[in-house]
């Protein structure tokens, strides 16, 4: 009896275990089937999207079909698409100079490759004003603005085909460079090239100025023939409006020289002040500075000093001199010269100021002169009267020097 009960219990337990195993197998198969179906549906219904991509320096649209591995986790497709679009948008906003183009051939950086200079021929832009053409030669220069130092850089290269101004069939050319309008009249000058009609200069001149202010300026260059014993003859000049060009990069300019406005070089300008002290009956003249003095030496410079004379009815009563400023066409003296004269005699006297070029081996040469007094021309007359009306107060005025010849 006990043996039958034991056999029955064993049979029941075996049936329960078999039932559990079968149930587990069926549940596993059912779960595996649903997972595979869900993955296939995800791949089948994943939408395509367009992502900009950068290739060989330009942007192209590509259709992207992501591949999903059911056994590997990946970032959602929409999030990756937004990140790619954001990255390419950032690349588009970068300045052109900082872009680096990447391809399977390597990385390209355009700023490392030299760019050819722009070339400007003034002859092609200039309108014909007269039917008769006079060949005065050409001038070759290079222009650019240095944004690092805020300087306008003018490089004087050469001139060609200049006319002969001397008896021997040659010229001794030099060039003056300046910007207009300029209240200070900052003028720069090249060296003198002796006995040539095709001079080579290769000199650099810099003008400190902002880029915006430069757009309102005109570059003026005048070519002169140097002469030691007479006036310097003007050969020709050029004028370039900066706003009509692009000097943000180097500009190579060839320009025909045109007929100059003046046939001789101006002597320059002199700034001096005068004041009168009634109690001491003392007339004080202060030679302050000069600018754009005519070059009197072969090196394109001068060694100027000022001679101040007190005149009475055209006769020199006393004369005094300042110191010599060597190799300078824009000298600064700041030197005072005194004359004793009664107040009642001011109306009958005047001052004469002469600027000389000092020469060791020969006689000093007169560059230019001017006067101030009741009988002088303007601005000398107004300066003298202001001195009388406002005693003890220095009256400073710029004077354009007159050519002694």
């Amino acid at each position: 009896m006990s043996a039958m009960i034991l056999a029955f219990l064993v049979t029941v337990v075996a049936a329960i275990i078999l039932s559990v195993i079968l149930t587990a197998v069926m549940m596993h198969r059912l779960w595996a089937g649903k997972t595979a179906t869900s993955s296939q549906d995800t791949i089948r219904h994943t939408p395509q999207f367009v992502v900009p991509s950068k290739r060989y320096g330009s942007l192209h649209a590509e259709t992207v079909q992501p591949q999903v591995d059911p056994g590997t986790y990946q970032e959602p497709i929409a999030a990756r698409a937004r990140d790619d679009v954001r990255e390419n948008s950032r690349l588009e906003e970068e300045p052109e100079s900082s872009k680096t183009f990447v391809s399977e051939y390597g990385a390209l950086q355009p700023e490392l490759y030299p760019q050819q200079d722009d070339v400007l021929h003034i002859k092609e832009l200039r309108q014909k004003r007269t039917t008769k053409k006079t060949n005065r030669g050409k001038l070759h220069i290079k222009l650019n603005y240095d944004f690092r130092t805020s300087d306008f850089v003018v490089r004087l290269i050469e001139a060609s085909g200049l006319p002969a101004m001397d008896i021997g069939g040659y010229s001794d050319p030099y060039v003056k460079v300046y910007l207009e309008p300029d209240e200070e009249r900052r003028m720069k000058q090249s060296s003198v090239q002796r006995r040539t009609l095709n001079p080579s200069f290769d000199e650099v001149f810099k003008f400190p100025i902002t880029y915006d202010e430069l757009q309102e300026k005109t570059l003026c260059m005048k070519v002169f023939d140097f002469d030691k014993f007479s006036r310097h003859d003007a050969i020709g000049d050029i004028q370039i409006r900066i706003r009509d060009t692009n000097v943000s990069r180097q500009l190579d300019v060839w320009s025909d020289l045109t007929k100059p406005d003046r046939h001789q070089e101006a002597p320059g300008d002199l700034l001096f002040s005068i004041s009168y002290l009634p109690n001491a009956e003392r007339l004080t003249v202060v030679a302050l500075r000069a600018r754009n003095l005519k070059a009197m030496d072969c090196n394109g410079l001068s060694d100027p000093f000022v001679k101040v004379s007190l005149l009475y009815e055209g006769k020199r009563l006393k004369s005094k001199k300042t110191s010599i400023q060597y190799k300078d066409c824009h000298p600064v003296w700041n030197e005072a010269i005194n004359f004793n004269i009664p107040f009642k005699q001011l109306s009958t006297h005047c001052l004469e100021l002469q600027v000389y070029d000092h020469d060791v081996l020969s006689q000093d040469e007169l560059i230019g002169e001017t006067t101030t007094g009741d009988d002088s021309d303007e601005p000398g007359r107004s300066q003298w009267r202001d001195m009388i009306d406002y005693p003890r107060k220095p009256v400073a005025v710029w004077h354009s020097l007159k050519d002694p010849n």
Side-chain angles (χ1 to χ4, degrees):
M1 184 69 180
S2 59
M4 294 178 61
I5 295 173
L6 181 61
F8 175 76
L9 292 175
V10 171
T11 302
V12 172
V13 172
I16 293 173
I17 294 174
L18 181 61
S19 176
V20 171
I21 292 175
L22 292 176
T23 303
V25 171
M26 292 179 62
M27 291 295 293
H28 176 72
R29 290 181 178 179
L30 180 62
W31 178 83
K34 290 183 178 181
T35 303
T37 304
S38 177
S39 300
Q40 292 176 2
D41 293 342
T42 302
I43 297 175
R44 186 180 302 112
H45 296 93
T46 298
Q48 295 180 348
F49 54 89
V50 177
V51 178
S53 64
K54 194 158 189 176
R55 182 176 296 177
Y56 312 121
S58 61
L59 292 175
H60 301 277
E62 294 183 350
T63 302
V64 179
Q65 174 64 57
Q67 298 179 358
V68 179
D69 186 359
T72 304
Y73 170 78
Q74 291 190 356
E75 185 182 3
I77 296 175
R80 297 209 321 272
R82 287 194 300 269
D83 293 341
D84 291 341
V85 173
R86 188 179 302 110
E87 176 66 18
N88 285 277
S89 300
R90 184 185 64 80
L91 293 174
E92 289 184 36
E93 295 173 357
E94 291 182 357
E96 192 67 27
S97 60
S98 64
K99 289 183 179 179
T100 300
F101 303 150
V102 183
S103 68
E104 58 264 31
Y105 300 105
L108 300 178
Q109 293 180 304
E111 65 273 11
L112 299 182
Y113 295 87
Q115 297 178 345
Q116 189 175 7
D117 297 343
D118 294 335
V119 180
L120 175 65
H121 295 275
I122 303 298
K123 175 182 177 181
E124 299 176 357
L125 302 179
R126 191 183 305 277
Q127 296 180 353
K128 296 181 179 180
R129 298 180 180 177
T130 58
T131 56
K132 184 179 179 180
K133 181 179 179 180
T134 303
N135 184 17
R136 296 181 176 272
K138 295 183 178 181
L139 198 62
H140 182 200
I141 60 176
K142 289 188 177 182
L143 311 175
N144 74 284
Y145 186 81
D146 192 339
F147 289 93
R148 294 175 299 176
T149 60
S150 296
D151 288 331
F152 176 51
V153 183
V154 180
R155 182 178 179 185
L156 175 61
I157 307 296
E158 60 183 332
S160 61
L162 299 181
M165 307 297 289
D166 300 335
I167 299 178
Y170 295 98
S171 293
D172 302 317
Y174 67 93
V175 183
K176 286 197 170 186
V177 187
Y178 58 97
L179 295 174
E180 284 188 346
D182 185 4
E183 296 180 356
E184 298 183 3
R185 297 182 63 181
R186 293 169 294 182
M187 186 176 295
K188 302 181 183 296
Q189 182 174 305
S190 72
S191 59
V192 179
Q193 304 298 315
R194 303 304 300 268
R195 296 177 59 81
T196 178
L197 301 180
N198 302 285
S200 177
F201 298 96
D202 197 16
E203 299 182 32
V204 177
F205 308 99
K206 295 183 178 181
F207 296 88
I209 188 174
T210 65
Y211 187 77
D212 292 336
E213 292 175 347
L214 180 63
Q215 303 306 309
E216 305 300 324
K217 303 294 184 179
T218 298
L219 174 65
C220 301
M221 305 184 71
K222 296 182 180 294
V223 183
F224 290 92
D225 171 55
F226 175 84
D227 199 318
K228 177 67 176 176
F229 302 104
S230 63
R231 300 178 181 179
H232 299 179
D233 296 322
I235 298 176
D237 56 36
I238 65 172
Q239 293 185 356
I240 302 175
R241 290 199 310 174
I242 304 301
R243 68 171 58 183
D244 295 337
T245 62
N246 179 18
V247 294
S248 60
R249 55 179 294 180
Q250 187 160 268
L251 179 64
D252 196 346
V253 180
W254 279 93
S255 175
D256 289 341
L257 292 172
T258 60
K259 184 178 180 180
D261 297 332
R262 302 181 57 157
H263 293 283
Q264 286 83 30
E265 180 186 5
D269 303 312
L270 177 65
L271 176 64
F272 66 91
S273 69
I274 55 176
S275 61
Y276 186 75
L277 188 60
N279 295 336
E281 294 186 340
R282 184 170 66 240
L283 174 63
T284 302
V285 182
V286 180
L288 298 173
R289 53 182 292 202
R291 64 187 180 191
N292 306 327
L293 293 182
K294 182 169 62 175
M296 305 298 289
D297 300 333
C298 297
N299 57 5
L301 300 173
S302 295
D303 305 318
F305 67 90
V306 182
K307 179 181 178 181
V308 185
S309 302
L310 180 64
L311 305 182
Y312 173 72
E313 293 183 352
K315 297 181 180 180
R316 289 184 177 87
L317 300 180
K318 297 180 181 180
S319 296
K320 298 181 180 181
K321 300 177 181 179
T322 67
S323 61
I324 301 172
Q325 301 297 315
Y326 291 94
K327 297 181 179 180
D328 197 350
C329 290
H330 308 273
V332 177
W333 291 284
N334 288 329
E335 298 182 20
I337 296 176
N338 297 317
F339 298 98
N340 293 323
I341 177 175
F343 180 79
K344 295 181 180 181
Q345 297 181 8
L346 288 178
S347 59
T348 59
H349 290 66
C350 67
L351 291 172
E352 179 185 58
L353 290 91
Q354 298 173 305
V355 181
Y356 282 86
D357 172 57
H358 175 69
D359 201 324
V360 178
L361 302 178
S362 62
Q363 187 178 3
D364 296 336
E365 296 179 88
L366 180 60
I367 299 176
E369 58 188 3
T370 185
T371 60
T372 177
D374 270 344
D375 296 333
S376 300
D377 297 331
E378 294 294 342
R381 183 187 298 111
S382 299
Q383 183 182 18
W384 189 265
R385 291 177 179 175
D386 289 343
M387 178 198 68
I388 296 176
D389 294 338
Y390 304 97
R392 303 181 183 86
K393 180 180 179 180
V395 181
V397 176
W398 277 103
H399 288 247
S400 295
L401 296 176
K402 297 179 181 179
D403 198 313
N405 299 322

